[in-house]
Amino acid sequence: TWSWMEPMIGTASFVLLCCQFVRAQALKMNMRTYSEQVLQWRASRIAKAFPRYDVSMLRAWAKHMPTCGLHFFPTYERNFRQKGPASGL
């Protein structure tokens, strides 16, 4: 009963292992990961949509916006290890 599912699970496990390896090697070479690239792309789109505002401020703000799910509501996640940027106020 397992024989039909074993090749698919093995292939999926190998793909996940390769993705983890690629991400780890990209971090070692100080390259941007896919998630960082998506944040950079989102920040550039917002800066292009609002040209009257300061580009560096818009990009910094857009990179720290919460992600939205399929229901278009923000998904807030707690992260205790990373400290956000200081506001300077």
Side-chain angles (χ1 to χ4, degrees), residues 29-84:
M29 294 187 293
N30 291 329
M31 293 174 62
R32 278 191 236 151
T33 60
Y34 177 74
S35 58
E36 291 171 353
Q37 186 67 28
V38 169
L39 287 176
Q40 183 73 27
W41 179 61
R42 179 173 67 179
S44 296
R45 279 189 310 153
I46 290 178
K48 192 185 294 184
F50 298 99
R52 294 180 62 200
Y53 295 100
D54 184 36
V55 175
S56 63
M57 291 298 288
L58 276 176
R59 284 187 177 156
W61 177 78
K63 284 183 183 178
H64 296 285
M65 281 178 21
T67 58
C68 293
L70 296 175
H71 55 294
F72 297 109
F73 287 106
T75 305
Y76 295 101
E77 298 175 1
R78 298 180 98 183
N79 191 355
F80 294 109
R81 290 180 279 151
Q82 185 177 1
K83 184 177 178 182

Side-chain angles (χ1 to χ4, degrees), residues 7-21:
M8 289 183 278
I9 290 176
T11 302
S13 298
F14 182 72
V15 167
L16 288 175
L17 182 69
C18 289
C19 289
Q20 289 174 345
F21 178 73

